[in-house]
Amino acid sequence: MIRKIDGISEEPQVIGLKALAFLANDEDNLNHFMAITGLDLQDIKERADDPLMLGGILDHFLHHENLLMEFATSLNCKPELIVRARYSLPGATHDS
């Protein structure tokens, strides 16, 4: 079941997909993500709709403040809403 988040008009999975698209639009950021996760482009394409992977992508944003802020600006939202989206997806811990 897809849940909406208070303050966000989109489902957490949509936020995760938008994060993936945002990441893919910057080759350096995408390469950095692949280097630290061990994923390649094929892995990412095959798992693009996997809520666990989308959560991992949002984790990446949460660990890179500049990237998080740029992404939040692109969505015209507060970074806290992206954090809430992350916690709505599988695999979230309070350390994320």
Side-chain angles (χ1 to χ4, degrees):
M1 178 174 149
I2 296 176
R3 296 175 296 185
K4 291 197 178 217
I5 302 170
D6 292 336
I8 298 179
S9 62
E10 299 171 288
E11 296 85 8
Q13 289 175 311
V14 173
I15 300 294
L17 286 168
K18 287 186 175 191
L20 175 56
F22 186 86
L23 197 62
N25 281 325
D26 184 309
E27 188 175 345
D28 290 337
N29 283 328
L30 181 61
N31 286 335
H32 180 249
F33 175 75
M34 290 189 301
I36 63 172
T37 63
L39 298 171
D40 62 25
L41 286 176
Q42 189 62 34
D43 296 328
I44 293 170
K45 288 177 185 178
E46 289 174 0
R47 297 185 56 206
D49 64 347
D50 178 353
L52 190 59
M53 180 160 132
L54 295 175
I57 290 168
L58 291 179
D59 280 340
H60 179 73
F61 280 71
L62 298 182
H63 287 100
H64 297 88
E65 186 176 357
N66 290 339
L67 189 60
L68 174 64
M69 298 306 290
E70 290 174 23
F71 181 52
T73 298
S74 77
L75 293 180
N76 195 29
C77 73
K78 294 181 180 182
E80 293 84 3
L81 297 178
I82 297 167
V83 172
R84 288 170 48 198
R86 171 58 193 113
Y87 287 128
S88 295
L89 293 168
T93 66
H94 291 288
D95 295 339
S96 294

